[in-house]
Amino acid sequence: MRRLAAGILMFFAAVLMAANAYAVERWATLPAFPAMPTAKTSGMAPVNDIKMYYAEYGEGDPILFIHGGLGSADVWGYQVAEFAKDHRVIVADSRGHGRSTRNGQPFDYDLMTSDYVALLEYLKLDKVTLVGWSDGGIIGIDMAMKNPEKLTRVIAQAANVTTDGVKPDVMTNKTFSDYINTAGEAYKKLSPTPNDYDAFVTQISAMWASQPSWTADDLGKIKVPVTLAIGDHDEAVKLDHTEMMAKQIPGSNLVILKDASHFAMLQDPEGYNAMIREAMAGR
C-alpha cells in the first residue's frame, strides 16, 4: 500500500514538474495570432507614395500600435481588445507589409516613420502614445528623435538602435523561423502583391543590414518619455544592447518581460498589457 501511495505521489509530482516546465518554456513557442476585434473604421490612407492600411477601435486618448518587420497589424489582437475599452486604438500595416502597398523605393526607417507621421496627420491626431514592437519600436524611437511633437510617450519592445544589437543566430532560431513562415502565409492572404513575399523580404533585408545606426548623441537628445521592454528570452535582440539604450535615452525606463521572447505580446498578453498600462501611468 505504501509503495502504491508513493508511486501515486511520484506520478503527480512528475506531472506537476512537466506542467511547470511547460509554463516556464512558453517563450519557446509562437502562439497563434488572435482574431482581431471588429474595427470601428478602417481604410487605405494615401500616405507619401503608398496606400497604407489602417483600422481604428474604441474611444479616448489615442494609442498607435506598430507591428514588427514582415508582419501586420493583426499581431495586436490581444492589445486591441484590451485598450479599445478606454482608448482610441489605431493600428496600421507598415509600407509593403500586410495590406499596405510598396514601390521600388528602398526601405528606410526614416521613410517608414514619415509614413506614420503622415497617417497621424491624415487621421487628424495631434499626439499619440506609440507602442512599437521590433521594427515598430525602432520607428517609435525614430519618431521620438524626428517628430517628438507627435508623441505623448513611446513604449518600444525588442527594438535595436544599431545593427550589432541583433543576435547573429536569430535566423536559425526555430521560434523566429516559425514567425517568418507564419508571416509569409499571412502575406499571401493580405497583400495586394501576394506572390512577391520573397522579393519583399529581400528588399527589407537590405535595410536591416545597415539600419538603424544611431549614436549615443542621437539618443541623448530624446525628450519624449520612453519605456524599453524586452523579453528575458528574446531570440533577436541582445539584452545588454537594450540596457545600453536605457542608459543613453534620458529618463527612460527598462522593463524585462519574464518568461517571454521577441513575441511577448502573444505569449503573455496579460503581462504585456499590464506593462503598457504601467508605462502610461509613468511607472
Side-chain angles (χ1 to χ4, degrees):
M1 193 71 178
R2 288 180 182 176
R3 289 183 179 178
L4 178 61
I8 292 172
L9 287 173
M10 289 177 65
F11 171 76
F12 281 109
V15 170
L16 183 60
M17 288 177 65
N20 287 339
Y22 177 80
V24 168
E25 294 181 357
R26 66 183 178 188
W27 48 266
T29 63
L30 179 70
F33 292 6
M36 292 290 282
T38 301
K40 187 176 179 179
T41 61
S42 64
M44 301 294 289
V47 165
N48 292 331
D49 53 354
I50 63 166
K51 298 287 187 182
M52 188 174 197
Y53 169 81
Y54 71 93
E56 297 187 82
Y57 309 79
E59 296 180 359
D61 291 339
I63 307 177
L64 171 64
F65 286 88
I66 304 181
H67 63 83
L70 306 182
S72 75
D74 292 2
V75 73
W76 296 118
Y78 290 122
Q79 288 65 49
V80 171
E82 169 63 22
F83 289 94
K85 297 173 183 176
D86 51 6
H87 288 80
R88 179 181 176 184
V89 175
I90 305 97
V91 298
D93 293 342
S94 298
R95 78 165 44 221
H97 296 66
R99 288 143 287 219
S100 295
T101 67
R102 77 181 195 279
N103 54 30
Q105 187 170 187
F107 278 88
D108 177 275
Y109 284 115
D110 286 348
L111 175 61
M112 296 171 78
T113 298
S114 73
D115 291 339
Y116 278 97
V117 171
L119 177 65
L120 295 180
E121 292 172 351
Y122 176 82
L123 297 175
K124 296 180 170 54
L125 286 165
D126 294 330
K127 280 180 177 285
V128 296
T129 289
L130 191 158
V131 179
W133 159 57
S134 197
D135 270 9
I138 296 171
I139 290 168
I141 293 169
D142 196 11
M143 197 180 297
M145 292 188 288
K146 307 290 195 320
N147 305 95
E149 73 284 353
K150 290 293 184 184
L151 298 169
T152 303
R153 65 184 59 78
V154 172
I155 302 166
Q157 179 233 334
N160 57 291
V161 293
T162 60
T163 55
D164 60 5
V166 178
K167 293 182 178 180
D169 61 348
V170 59
M171 290 303 180
T172 62
N173 178 274
K174 181 184 182 303
T175 310
F176 205 86
S177 296
D178 288 345
Y179 167 71
I180 293 174
N181 292 333
T182 298
E185 291 303 311
Y187 183 92
K188 292 176 185 176
K189 297 176 182 177
L190 299 175
S191 176
T193 56
N195 298 319
D196 289 355
Y197 185 64
D198 289 345
F200 163 59
V201 172
T202 298
Q203 198 175 5
I204 199 167
S205 294
M207 176 182 74
W208 291 340
S210 60
Q211 296 181 31
S213 57
W214 296 316
T215 67
D217 285 344
D218 293 330
L219 300 180
K221 295 173 184 175
I222 293 176
K223 305 300 181 187
V224 174
V226 174
T227 295
L228 299 167
I230 187 167
D232 57 1
H233 287 83
D234 194 296
E235 306 91 342
V237 178
K238 300 173 184 176
L239 174 60
D240 59 358
H241 181 80
T242 309
E243 292 171 336
M244 175 274 293
M245 291 165 58
K247 291 177 181 177
Q248 293 182 349
I249 298 175
S252 62
N253 185 35
L254 174 63
V255 178
I256 309 297
L257 302 169
K258 185 175 174 56
D259 297 332
S261 78
H262 203 69
F263 310 99
M265 80 292 290
L266 298 170
Q267 295 161 341
D268 181 21
E270 288 187 7
Y272 198 88
N273 294 347
M275 176 274 293
I276 294 172
R277 290 203 180 273
E278 287 285 302
M280 291 174 67
R283 295 191 291 265

